[in-house]
Amino acid sequence: QQQVKQSPQSLIVQKGGISIINCAYENTAFDYFPWYQQFPGKGPALLIAIRPDVSEKKEGRFTISFNKSAKQFSLHIMDSQPGDSATYFCAASSARQLTFGSGTQLTVLP
Amino acid sequence: DSGVTQTPKHLITATGQRVTLRCSPRSGDLSVYWYQQSLDQGLQFLIQYYNGEERAKGNILERFSAQQFPDLHSELNLSSLELGDSALYFCASSLHAADSPLHFGNGTRLTVT
């Protein structure tokens, strides 16, 4: 019930391309869905977050799409840059506990 | 810089030993969380404290314990260490509950030999 499934495990994209990472959840009590970005040697950092009352949120080149009925949400990175190369984690929160997906290692080729 | 400080950055110890990891939360944050990150398990939630009290417990082993002190810093104690405990241990803090943004430290890398 607390699991958040994330795919793909790794992703290679050309510079300027669109990176798409998908997550799915089962627990309908989740009410907050953040994405975290982690660079090697650093802790995860909040990138963008969404609540289930909206279907999309955009911040610069980063967009979260949220499908409540399908219990899925995704991160789109437009015009991907080599500096976006990092590990991305989706997460879902309920009852004050944040559950993370397994992570996606994104590599953007120059 | 997230404002969360974790010490030490690296720790190498032998099986059966006990270690203490320390975390100073971001100024003003009342909640502290501990996560374990290993290659095959991702980020696993261990435990959360809010203003000195335990608020939520995740997959924390009985050999592990934590506490949050009156000055809000937190310590994670790992005892009877096993090889499988080798991992990155992250502390995060937030102002209130889990739907407040979490601010992560840069972790303590524990190696058990």
Side-chain angles (χ1 to χ4, degrees):
Chain A
Q1 275 289 72
Q2 291 295 323
Q3 197 172 16
V4 177
K5 295 183 179 179
Q6 182 172 347
S7 63
Q9 188 174 11
S10 63
L11 181 61
I12 299 174
V13 174
Q14 292 287 340
K15 177 182 175 181
I18 302 174
S19 304
I20 302 174
I21 304 170
N22 301 299
C23 285
Y25 63 97
E26 290 294 326
N27 188 349
T28 55
F30 287 143
D31 57 5
Y32 176 67
F33 301 87
W35 285 86
Y36 283 80
Q37 179 188 54
Q38 185 180 25
F39 292 104
K42 300 291 185 182
L46 179 66
L47 188 63
I48 186 173
I50 197 169
R51 294 194 184 275
D53 52 345
V54 297
S55 60
E56 186 175 283
K57 183 173 182 180
K58 184 176 181 179
E59 290 184 2
R61 295 184 294 107
F62 301 91
T63 300
I64 300 179
S65 297
F66 187 83
N67 186 329
K68 189 174 181 179
S69 60
K71 291 185 282 188
Q72 296 174 347
F73 58 111
S74 60
L75 176 69
H76 292 63
I77 305 175
M78 312 299 288
D79 187 25
S80 299
Q81 299 297 312
D84 297 331
S85 297
T87 300
Y88 292 81
F89 293 93
C90 64
S93 172
S94 75
R96 305 191 186 93
Q97 183 170 330
L98 197 61
T99 301
F100 284 86
S102 54
T104 296
Q105 187 167 355
L106 172 65
T107 302
V108 181
L109 301 176
Chain B
D1 182 13
S2 68
V4 178
T5 304
Q6 288 189 249
T7 57
K9 290 184 179 179
H10 303 277
L11 201 48
I12 301 174
T13 189
T15 54
Q17 295 299 304
R18 172 191 168 94
V19 297
T20 297
L21 282 53
R22 182 187 169 97
C23 170
S24 294
R26 206 174 60 127
S27 178
D29 285 356
L30 300 176
S31 272
V32 169
Y33 308 76
W34 286 98
Y35 283 85
Q36 180 191 57
Q37 185 176 38
S38 54
L39 283 174
D40 58 346
Q41 293 291 324
L43 276 162
Q44 296 292 314
F45 169 68
L46 296 178
I47 197 163
Q48 178 204 357
Y49 283 84
Y50 178 79
N51 205 20
E53 294 188 2
E54 183 183 304
R55 271 298 177 93
K57 220 168 189 178
N59 300 320
I60 188 166
L61 300 172
E62 286 191 10
R63 301 183 286 109
F64 296 179
S65 64
Q67 59 184 125
Q68 186 179 27
F69 295 87
D71 66 352
L72 300 179
H73 91 271
S74 179
E75 293 181 356
L76 178 67
N77 300 295
L78 315 176
S79 61
S80 303
L81 285 167
E82 302 175 358
L83 295 177
D85 297 328
S86 296
L88 263 171
Y89 290 84
F90 284 104
C91 170
S93 71
S94 70
L95 183 59
H96 298 300
D99 58 356
S100 300
L102 262 62
H103 303 271
F104 282 81
N106 287 329
T108 293
R109 180 172 292 282
L110 173 67
T111 302
V112 182
T113 61

